[in-house]
Amino acid sequence: MSRRWLIALALVAGVTGGGAALRAKRRALAADLATARDLHGGGYAGSLACRRCHPDHYTTWSRTFHRTMTTEATTTNIRGDFSGATLRHAGVEARMDRDADGGFRMTFRTPGAPPRTAKVVRAVGSRRYQQYLAAEGDALWRLPVAYHIEEKRWFPMTGAFLFADATAIDDAARPRFGGGVFDRHVTRWNDNCVFCHNVAPNPGRDPATGAFRTTVAELGIACEACHGPGDEHARANADPSRRYDLHLAPRADPTIVNPSRLDPARAADVCGRCHGQRITADVGPFLTHGDPFVAGDDLARYSRPLGRDTSLRGDATAFAARFWEDGTPRLTAYEYQGLRQSACAIKGGLTCTSCHGMHEGDPRGQIRARFAGASADSMCTQCHTPLAAPAAVAAHTHHDPAGAGARCVSCHMPRIVYGVLDVHPSHRIEIPKVPRNDPHDAGYGAGRPDACTLCHVAGLADREKGPRPMLSLFTSDPVGRAVAADALGNAPPFGGDERARRLGALLTSMTDDDFPAVRHIAWRSLRRLIAPGAAPDAGLAADFDPSADTPARLAAVERVRRALGPAVRDVDVRTRNALIIVASHQTLEIGE
Amino acid sequence: MNDEIRRCRRFGWTSLTAWALFGLAIEAAHGFKLGAYLDDNLRHTILRLAHAHGVILALVVLAFPATLPPEADGRAARRTGLLLRAAALLIPAGFALGAIAPHEADPGWPVVLVPIGGSLLVLGLIRTAWRAWRFR
C-alpha cells in the first residue's frame, strides 16, 4: 500500500474515531446536564475559584458590603481609628491602638480593676459601622465598642441597640471587658453572628461539652451563599467542551444554583435565610452541624420566619415587640416577612431580585442600576405600567409628580423600620391607610406610623389625627420614637414655625430620651435640619455624643440651642412631661 | 521550490501587513479609549493575542524558505509551508473572531480555530526541525 493511501486511511480513521468520540461526549454531557444534583453536603470552592470563569460577577460582587460582612483584622479591612483613640462610657475607658506587631487591640480600664486588653482578630460590617471580635478560649466574642464609619467615631454597642441607659446583664458565661452596662452587648460570634455573615456557617458546638469548633466555607457573604456549594461545578466546568456546550445552548447547569432561574418564592428564600429572622423547632442540630439550608431549598424545611404571634417556650408575646400591631415588621432583618405580607409577592410574583441586584447598582442598597435615581418608580411601574405616565402619577398620588411625595416608595414603603442606628423603608409593600383612633377604622392599629403623617408631621396638638411623629417622639415605644425622630429630619418643612418646633422637639429628645439609639437618630435629624448635607463629624452639633451621660448631653444641647437662638421653639415642659409618662420603655432584642 | 518561496513571500508579507494594520487599529482603540475594546478584559486580551500571533507567525512564514537547505525535497517543503501558512491564518483568526460575542471568561466559539491552527503549527515546526537535523 502506497504512503498516500496510508495517510488517507489514517485521516478517515481519525475523522471517524473523532466523530464517534465527539458524539459519545455529547451524549454523556446531555446525561450529565439532565441529572439533578443534591447539593447538600457538597464541597465549597471559594470565590477565587469562581473568579476564573466569572470575573465580571466576581468584580461586581467584590464591590458589595456582602463581601466584607466578616473580614480578618488586616490593615485593608479595619475601618476603625486604632491610632490611640479613646472612648469613655459607663465608667469605663476604652483605648483603641496597635500593638508592637501592628495588630489591632482594645484596652479597657475600669476603676478598681486591672486593665483588660483584647486583640482584635476579625471585624464584622463595613458600611455603617464596624464591630470587632476577639478570641477567648474556643470562641470569638463581639467587643463592646464599635466604630461608626459614616460618623468617623467610636461608640459603645449599648448605643446601637434599643436598650435604655444602664441596662446591664448578669451573665457569668461572658468574658468581662469593661463590666456591667458596658458589656451589655458582648456576644459570642460562634452561635450568633456566624449564621448570617458567612458562607456555610457551622458553629460546630459539641453537644456534650458545649465547646465550639466553628467553621465557615468563606468569611462574608460570598458566591456560594446564594449559588450553593460550587466545588463540583468548578471541577465539571474545567472541561471547555462542557462550558461551550452550555454557552452555545444556554440551559440550567444542575451543579450550581442560579437564583434567577428559581421561582420567586424560592429566590426570596435565598435572601430570607438572613434577611428574615426565623426560628427552628430544635436549634441543636444547627449548633452542632450548621445551617442545612442551601440556595434553592424551601426555607420552611428547616425553620419558619418569626411573626408577631410566634411563641417561644410558651410565651406568645416573645417576639411581638418586633412587629407593629398589624404584624408589619419594625426591625431590619425582617424584610423577608415584609415581602411575604405584600400583595405584590402574594399575587404578583414579586421577589427580592425584582428590585435588588446582587451584581449591580449602588452597593448601598443594591437597587438595580435601571431603577437608580429618577428611575426609582420603574421598580413598581415595571408591573403597574399604567402609572408610568406623569399625568397618571399626579392623578394617583395627588402630589407634584416630580416631588418626593409622588414617589412610589414614599407611600407604599414608608420608613418605619429600625435597624443599625438608622430607620429604613418597610418591605411590606401596601396601600397607605391613615389610622384615626377610631375602633371601627380598618387602619393599621394603634401606634403604627403611616406614610402620610411621616411627611405631614404636624405638631403636638394633633393627637386626634393619629400617631404623628411630633407626638410619637415622646409618647411611643423606642421603635416608634426612633421612627418619629427620623421623620422629623426627613419630612419637608411645611410653613410657619414648624421647623422651629421640630428643632425644639429633637433637642428635647437628645437630652431626655433614655434610649441612646433614639437620641442618636434625633441628633442626626437635627443635623439634617440645620445643615443639610454636612459631614457627620462637622457642623454645629458635631460634638454631641448620644451615649454620653446626661450632664454632658445637656451641655452639648445647650450650646446648640444657644447658637440657633430664636430658630428653636422649645417644647413646653409640662406638655413634654405629660407625654413622656405614657411612653413605653420596653427594650427590644434585635434578633440575636 | 521557487513556487514555495513565492507562496511564502506573498502570504508572509500580506499577512504581516494585515496584522500590522490590525495592531494599528487596536492601538487607535486604546488611544481613543474605545470602551468596546478596553472595557471587556477578555476581548482586550484576545485581540492583542490575535495581533501578536498574526505578526509573529507571518514572520515565521517569511523566514521559512530562507531556512530550507538547498538539497531539501520540494514536495515535503511545500507541505511544511502549507502547514505553517494554515497555522498563521487560523491561530490569529481564531483569536480575532473569538472576540466577537465572547462569554464572561471564554472567547466566542470561533476560538476553536486556535487549537486546530496550533496543532498544524506544531506539526509544521516538527517537520522543519526534523529536516534541519537531517540535511547538513
Side-chain angles (χ1 to χ4, degrees), chain B residues 4 7 64 73-83 85:
Chain B
E4 183 56 21
R7 276 190 212 105
F64 169 68
D73 174 7
R75 201 164 51 177
R78 200 164 56 242
R79 282 181 194 145
T80 306
L82 184 64
L83 288 172
R85 290 195 298 277

Side-chain angles (χ1 to χ4, degrees), chain A residues 428-519:
Chain A
R428 179 178 190 170
I429 303 161
E430 59 190 340
I431 298 167
K433 289 176 282 190
V434 182
R436 300 181 193 284
N437 288 349
D438 174 352
H440 304 295
D441 184 272
Y444 298 125
R448 195 197 129 164
D450 62 274
C452 306
T453 53
L454 286 174
C455 270
H456 301 274
V457 294
L460 295 172
D462 294 314
R463 197 168 188 174
E464 72 283 358
K465 292 180 182 169
R468 295 203 167 194
M470 197 82 89
L471 191 67
S472 302
L473 186 64
F474 301 107
T475 59
S476 189
D477 75 352
V479 175
R481 300 204 298 276
V483 168
D486 178 71
L488 291 179
N490 274 330
F494 294 103
D497 64 347
E498 189 183 302
R499 180 176 178 275
R501 288 188 289 123
R502 280 199 223 170
L503 289 172
L506 290 167
L507 286 168
T508 302
S509 173
M510 286 162 60
T511 53
D512 289 7
D513 203 294
D514 56 352
F515 278 59
V518 177
R519 298 194 296 260

Side-chain angles (χ1 to χ4, degrees), chain A residues 495-576:
Chain A
D497 64 347
E498 189 183 302
R499 180 176 178 275
R501 288 188 289 123
R502 280 199 223 170
L503 289 172
L506 290 167
L507 286 168
T508 302
S509 173
M510 286 162 60
T511 53
D512 289 7
D513 203 294
D514 56 352
F515 278 59
V518 177
R519 298 194 296 260
H520 191 116
I521 292 172
W523 169 60
R524 205 187 50 192
S525 283
L526 180 103
R527 284 187 286 118
R528 278 194 190 133
L529 287 179
I530 60 177
D537 57 345
L540 187 57
D543 64 343
F544 176 78
D545 177 0
S547 295
D549 55 22
T550 307
R553 292 202 312 274
L554 278 170
V557 165
E558 200 45 45
R559 282 195 294 278
V560 176
R561 205 186 297 272
R562 272 202 305 273
L564 290 174
V568 176
R569 185 169 148 191
D570 278 319
V571 176
D572 171 69
V573 175
R574 277 198 302 182
T575 308
R576 182 196 65 191

Side-chain angles (χ1 to χ4, degrees), chain B residues 17-89:
Chain B
T17 306
W19 290 112
L21 283 171
F22 185 83
L24 197 64
I26 61 174
E27 281 161 16
H30 210 134
F32 290 105
K33 302 298 174 201
L34 200 66
Y37 172 62
L38 289 176
D39 293 349
D40 187 321
N41 194 41
L42 178 67
R43 179 174 286 141
H44 187 197
T45 302
I46 57 179
L47 288 179
R48 284 192 300 171
L49 284 170
H51 166 62
H53 281 84
V55 167
I56 290 169
L57 290 174
L59 293 174
V60 168
V61 169
L62 280 173
F64 169 68
T67 64
L68 284 175
E71 64 273 38
D73 174 7
R75 201 164 51 177
R78 200 164 56 242
R79 282 181 194 145
T80 306
L82 184 64
L83 288 172
L84 294 178
R85 290 195 298 277
L89 182 70

Side-chain angles (χ1 to χ4, degrees), chain A residues 279 307-320:
Chain A
I279 191 166
R308 182 172 167 79
D309 54 357
T310 301
S311 180
L312 180 67
R313 291 188 282 273
D315 178 3
T317 62
F319 303 107

Side-chain angles (χ1 to χ4, degrees), chain A residues 169-506:
Chain A
I169 189 168
D170 181 21
D171 185 353
R174 301 179 193 214
R176 184 182 185 285
F177 295 100
V181 176
F182 195 81
D183 284 352
R184 175 61 187 82
H185 291 284
V186 170
T187 307
R188 188 165 47 210
W189 175 79
N190 307 62
D191 51 348
N192 288 286
C193 330
V194 73
F195 282 113
C196 280
H197 294 181
N198 302 286
V199 179
N202 180 4
R205 182 172 173 269
D206 184 328
T209 64
F212 287 93
R213 292 172 65 88
T214 305
T215 58
V216 298
E218 189 167 354
L219 291 177
I221 300 302
C223 317
E224 290 158 299
C226 303
H227 294 281
D231 187 51
E232 186 193 352
H233 176 73
R235 279 188 286 109
N237 287 294
D239 174 357
S241 66
R242 190 179 197 276
R243 291 202 309 279
Y244 275 91
D245 200 81
L246 287 166
H247 290 328
L248 295 173
R251 55 201 184 278
D253 181 348
T255 60
I256 201 74
V257 176
N258 184 344
S260 68
R261 291 180 186 272
L262 298 174
D263 69 64
R266 293 292 79 75
D269 285 351
V270 175
C271 309
R273 186 177 83 82
C274 295
H275 293 275
Q277 290 281 319
R278 42 196 188 119
I279 191 166
T280 179
D282 181 8
V283 76
F286 277 67
L287 295 177
T288 306
H289 305 296
D291 185 348
F293 177 82
V294 165
D297 280 349
D298 181 350
L299 197 57
R301 276 177 66 184
Y302 313 108
S303 57
R304 60 200 167 93
L306 290 177
R308 182 172 167 79
D309 54 357
T310 301
S311 180
L312 180 67
R313 291 188 282 273
D315 178 3
T317 62
F319 303 107
R322 303 180 186 195
F323 301 84
W324 298 102
E325 285 193 3
D326 65 347
T328 304
R330 60 205 307 244
L331 297 176
T332 50
Y334 290 82
E335 292 79 14
Y336 177 71
Q337 282 89 331
L339 178 79
R340 284 164 51 108
Q341 293 169 341
S342 306
C344 294
I346 297 166
K347 299 177 190 168
L350 183 86
T351 191
C352 312
T353 50
S354 303
C355 304
H356 298 276
M358 295 303 99
H359 295 279
E360 60 177 292
D362 187 333
R364 296 168 299 174
Q366 294 190 244
I367 300 293
R368 286 191 182 277
R370 65 178 183 274
F371 303 138
S375 304
D377 285 354
S378 309
M379 283 188 278
C380 304
T381 57
Q382 63 181 316
C383 293
H384 300 274
T385 44
L387 291 173
V393 174
H396 177 74
T397 65
H398 309 293
H399 283 73
D400 172 10
R407 301 286 65 77
C408 307
V409 295
S410 299
C411 296
H412 297 284
M413 298 179 73
R415 291 167 62 90
I416 56 169
V417 172
Y418 175 83
V420 284
L421 282 175
D422 208 343
V423 176
H424 307 263
S426 168
H427 277 67
R428 179 178 190 170
I429 303 161
E430 59 190 340
I431 298 167
K433 289 176 282 190
V434 182
R436 300 181 193 284
N437 288 349
D438 174 352
H440 304 295
D441 184 272
Y444 298 125
R448 195 197 129 164
D450 62 274
C452 306
T453 53
L454 286 174
C455 270
H456 301 274
V457 294
L460 295 172
D462 294 314
R463 197 168 188 174
E464 72 283 358
K465 292 180 182 169
R468 295 203 167 194
M470 197 82 89
L471 191 67
S472 302
L473 186 64
F474 301 107
T475 59
S476 189
D477 75 352
V479 175
R481 300 204 298 276
V483 168
D486 178 71
L488 291 179
N490 274 330
F494 294 103
D497 64 347
E498 189 183 302
R499 180 176 178 275
R501 288 188 289 123
R502 280 199 223 170
L503 289 172
L506 290 167

